[in-house]
Structure formats: structure tokens, C-alpha cells
Amino acid sequence: QLDGVTVNAPGTGGSFLLPNVDWLEDFKVIALGAGAEYGNFQGGLVNMVTKSGNNTMQGAMRVFAESRALNASNVNAFENGSEQASRQEVNAEVRGPLIRDRLYFFLSGQESFAAQRFVDFRNATSARIAWLPTTVDRHEQKYYAKLTWQASPRDIVNASLGLDNLSRERVGLNGFDDINATLRGRSPAAFYQANWQRTLGAKSFLEVKFSGYGGADDQL
């Protein structure tokens, strides 16, 4: 569940969405015997709550880079193997007030690029590992925006929108098959949610939610 909304993949189980960890304020794994507010699951439940804005303006940026020039290789010259050639990732977020004590925002974005290289064992020698001249490339984008409105001391309204897009080039590359036998993949997805919460008393509250998502997994 993400903010109380089920994000199970239809028909296959698991999740259709892998959120950026920078979106999350709280993360819990709940086993059997969960409280009455949870339902429609068997086994374990992963419950994720996203960040919200507050009266303090905050921001963060995280950069990650990996290169084959910095890593040792763990493959041998005559195997049909592969390893990560490079990876770069940038994450940034900002949150704070639009109207103090009333309206808050949270924005987060991620861009990551990765390349997987494969052994060219047909052209390798005992003294040198050869690599195929092309790589499997992966580009992932994750963006999330959330507004929180403290409408009254008893009423809170949240609205959020997220985008999760994955692009892949030359999927299925290996040392045997022609490069024309590989695939190009595109997996765009968007999800949205709005909810209203009213506190009725010390032991009860009312919550109304509206949510949905759409996505595709195209391979050429």
C-alpha cells in the first residue's frame, strides 16, 4: 500500500510500482494479525507513507556515480557473462509551506542511467577479456508531487501525482545472438490520489479516497 491505497500488480501479484525511497516518510512490513484498518491481503503487507510538506523549507540532493574504470571485473574471458559498465543517478527533493499553517508541498525527482556490458568470448584471448561493442542501456525516471491542505483543525486534504518511466535499449543482448534480435522496452506509468480526512473524536475519524493509475509495458 502507498498512502493507504493498494498498488498490487493486477493478475501477477507483487507491486506495479517501485517508489523512489526518497518519497517515503514511513515504511512498515506487517504480518498476519494486522489491525482492522488493513485488509484484502494474505501473508505480509508492505505499508508505505509518503513525505508531506511542513512549515520548514527543506531540500536535499543526492548524486551517485559508478564506472567500470573504478571497478574490478568478476567475469572470465570465455564465459557468456555480463557486468555493470556504468551507472549515474541524481535525486533531488524540496518541501515546505506555500501558505504557513495551511498549505504545504513536497516535490521529488530522480533520473538514473545504467549500462550493462557483455563478454565477447568469441574474440577473447587467454590474456585479454573482450567486450561486445554495444551495451544494454537503461534510463529510469521517477517524479512525485504532493499538496497538503490543512482546511480546518479537523480536516486535512491531500492530493498527489506520480510518474514512473523506464526505458531500455538492446534488452536480451548476449554473446550468441545478433544485436537485431534484442528488444527496445518502454514502461511508462502514472498514478494519482486525493483524500480527505476528518477527525470525529479521540477514537474515530472519517476518510474518503480517490485514486487510480495507468501504465504500459511495450517491447519492440
Side-chain angles (χ1 to χ4, degrees):
Q1 292 184 347
L2 183 69
D3 287 336
V5 176
T6 299
V7 290
N8 285 3
T12 60
S15 65
F16 83 88
L17 169 70
L18 294 176
N20 184 350
V21 295
D22 290 341
W23 299 350
L24 304 181
E25 189 80 72
D26 190 39
F27 181 95
K28 293 180 181 178
V29 178
I30 303 170
L32 292 175
E37 66 269 30
Y38 303 105
N40 300 317
F41 78 96
Q42 294 177 333
L45 170 72
V46 178
N47 190 48
M48 299 170 286
V49 178
T50 58
K51 296 176 181 177
S52 299
N54 52 46
N55 279 329
T56 302
M57 186 66 72
Q58 298 173 308
M61 176 174 283
R62 177 165 51 86
V63 178
F64 176 88
E66 184 177 347
S67 170
R68 61 191 176 194
L70 302 175
N71 293 341
S73 180
N74 196 36
V75 299
N76 64 63
F78 301 106
E79 71 170 307
N80 185 29
S82 67
E83 66 182 18
Q84 187 159 274
S86 63
R87 180 168 174 261
Q88 300 86 36
E89 181 180 313
V90 177
N91 288 270
E93 67 175 65
V94 62
R95 59 175 169 173
L98 292 174
I99 303 174
R100 291 187 62 84
D101 300 322
R102 297 292 298 230
L103 185 63
Y104 314 100
F105 75 95
F106 170 70
L107 298 173
S108 176
Q110 177 192 43
E111 292 276 345
S112 64
F113 302 86
Q116 192 84 3
R117 64 177 180 170
F118 287 75
V119 175
D120 184 3
F121 57 88
R122 295 175 179 176
N123 295 312
T125 67
S126 58
R128 181 183 68 89
I129 297 178
W131 301 97
L132 293 176
T134 188
T135 58
V136 175
D137 298 325
R138 177 186 176 98
H139 178 202
E140 193 164 12
Q141 300 167 295
K142 294 179 183 288
Y143 290 92
Y144 184 73
K146 183 178 182 180
L147 286 175
T148 301
W149 178 33
Q150 185 75 53
S152 76
R154 295 198 301 157
D155 297 284
I156 298 177
V157 178
N158 291 290
S160 60
L161 173 66
L163 301 174
D164 183 8
N165 183 47
L166 175 62
S167 301
R168 304 171 303 283
E169 297 286 345
R170 295 174 290 277
V171 178
L173 182 69
N174 57 59
F176 292 103
D177 299 320
D178 188 273
I179 188 174
N180 293 316
T182 60
L183 299 173
R184 174 185 293 119
R186 298 289 185 270
S187 302
F191 57 96
Y192 54 87
Q193 179 184 223
N195 69 71
W196 165 56
Q197 301 174 15
R198 163 161 282 201
T199 302
L200 302 177
K203 295 184 179 181
S204 60
F205 69 94
L206 172 67
E207 185 171 29
V208 179
K209 296 180 181 180
F210 176 79
S211 64
Y213 71 90
D217 185 15
D218 300 324
Q219 299 187 53
L220 175 62

